[in-house]
Amino acid sequence: MALSLKKFLPHILIIFGFIALSLAYFNPVLSGKQIFQSDIMHYIGMSKQQTDFRAATGEETYWTNSAFGGMPTYQLGAKYPHNYIKELDSVLRFLPRPADYLFLYFIGFYILLLTLKVDFKLAALGALAFGFSTYLIIILGVGHNSKAHAIAYMPLVLSGILLVFQKKYIPGFLLTTVAMALELSANHYQMTYYLLLLVLILGAVYLFEAYRNKQLPHFFKSVGIMVIAVILAIGLNATNIMATQEYVKESTRGKSELTINSDGSPKEVTSGLDKDYITEYSYGFLETFNLFIPRLLGGGNGEDVGKDSETYKFFTSVGASPIEALREVKRTPTYWGSQPIVEAPAYVGAVVLFLFVFGLFMVKGPTKWWLVGGVIMSLLLSYGKNLGFLTNFFIDYVPMYNKFRAVTSIQVILELCIPVLAIFGLVELFKNPEKGSEQLKALKIAAGISGGVAVLFLLFKGSFDFVGANDGYYRQAYGEYGQSFVDALKADRKSMFTYDSIRTLLLVLFSASGIWLFLNKKVTQNMLIIGLAVLILFDLVSVDRRYVNNENFVSALQVSKPFQANQADLEIMKDDSHFRVFDVVSSGARASYFHNSLTGYHAAKMGRYNELFDFYIVKNNMNVLNMLNTKYVIADDDKGNVFPYVNQDANGNAWFVSSLEKVNSANDEMMALDSLNTRIKAVTTQELASSNFNVDSLSTIDILDYKPNYLKYNSNNNHDGFAVFSELYYANGWNAYIDGQLSPHYRVDYVLRGMPIPKGQHTIEFKFEPHVVKTGSTIALASSILFGLLILGGIAVMRKQKFDKLED
């Protein structure tokens, strides 16, 4: 027992160290504060209706009416039955957010390096290098939690795969299943997709090694085990995966039926996102060196340049008080790269990159090549439209690549691979002290390359113009002072360039000196590790704190209730009828927090609704606003005071139409809405014949009950009629009932629901009953039971193997 405790004690201490570091970096959580994340603010706005419904009823609604006219909640934090892997995830994320994600970064990477048989001290060093990588901290600052979540489990997935390839089939299978299930539960399929690309590179390297060493049977056995593990992981997440797959076809990620744009021009019909949208955020070639020199291109779009900056001097020179000037320079647009918006540079670290280059010359074998392959693949694809031939090939021919935007995000792969190879360089350094001359040569080359890059930038900084893409806008925005403001910006950009290049050069020299001292037996291995740990922490944390620090934290109440009702909201909320609101003043999910809104904040909106928005809603087309039952428009006057404009012509919750016209195409249906009186006529492309109906003053249809997932109406009509409902059509879940009998309903007016209703008085109900949730939950339950049995069986087999080995 004592021996076993001694064996695990270093790991226990390191885990406690990771906890302490996570809480130390995000220390305001210890006083009850929470980090303010812009994306999470909008998420809270989008999900408030379903959260309130859950709190009031104890039930889950899988539909919300609060955003974009209505949409499924599958990508808004929906909770599913028998989702036990999510409960495990909650146990692992026991620290306050966002310290929980930082801890997951550390522990996942630590396990990966231990799996690669790295000493625990170096594994801990590598975990620090990975966890404090600037991009991984930045995404926590802005609220890309699901992205951070998925990245955190990437090393764990790789650990399981590597165990299988190491012929540790049972633990490898179990870890791959759990890690992949956790990865999928994070619900960021773009990150999971990029991980798959890395795994394919890893697999290709191991296939080559297996062929060369005549171990193909082992390779294919390993692949078979991993395939089973992935299938089981998918089963554990069946409900979310199936629901997402079903929804994506109807979302902006799916294929559009339109062949025209809102301006009437021809539209490129694809089964994924538009190429310009995919590549809007593309890494510039010069930006590559941001990985090594943090503010080479000015850092982010909102740098705090301080009172010693030229920008501060500019503001004080034009009459700003010192306090006003300090406030202005808090968000200085110093970034001068080609991307539209950059919150911060994707800085990997000068020390880490130097060690990576050192590792390139020190490390041999398959591990080196899948890591280098991952780095190259990640970097080249991050260039996006700047390396068009490669990006276009992937968009056109690589399955699912066109479903994801912001190609720069793929750099998470190099941010994972670079620290691994950096640590392996140190492993080789410590493992073969007798190869001192070879190691010294590698050190000189690595220091020459790394330091040389910094020196070259310092020598040739005069060849850069430091002009940003938006500088023309600033010249106009600041009027007669515009050129002076831009000149100040350029001077500050140049200062950042110089300062950070020198900083990087010094860090490389300090790191190289440490290794040189070790090779000359002036310092011990432990002293070098401690020295490098100090340098890495100083390097990364000091850059991280420029962008995510204690100023990002606010009271818990401000996070949980991020929006305050204005006068227009308060006036609208006095109306207890059911309607929609179009907020033309505020953007994002603010309106969704208080009302059933036409707007919202989401990366995967309903596809048809998004097209309708681009064609008509954004242009304030009253025919379309009326059919969506838009009773209020939040506007503002010349003085900026908001007020609710009351639209007396809104069609209401449901109405009988006098005529239904069958049109030939989605184009015809969309274009008809421009001048269509939607109160008396509807158009459709569905299997309905054009018809006319008698509608008199006694023909009524009134709403009786209104919940996110349930609608109840009473209809009264002396004639057979056709009713249109101001609710979005979504066939995969919404069922219509007339007097308790399931009845067909159809898509009309491009996005709405319509159905024939017989004469007389009837009760009409719409219930959101997604079959996918029931089926997925059953699969998840069965998968959980099966995996539980496999865990017990695996433990029994491993115990038996251990006892058999002892007897031998």
Side-chain angles (χ1 to χ4, degrees), residues 187-204:
N187 199 33
H188 201 295
Y189 298 123
Q190 183 173 4
M191 295 299 103
T192 305
Y193 182 81
Y194 292 157
L195 174 62
L196 172 63
L197 295 181
L198 176 62
V199 170
L200 291 176
I201 293 173
L202 184 153

Side-chain angles (χ1 to χ4, degrees), residues 648-670:
Q648 302 287 359
D649 297 323
N651 289 4
N653 300 107
W655 58 94
F656 286 104
V657 292
S658 301
S659 66
L660 175 68
E661 181 182 354
K662 173 73 179 293
V663 294
N664 296 323
S665 68
N667 289 356
D668 295 337
E669 188 176 13
M670 178 65 87

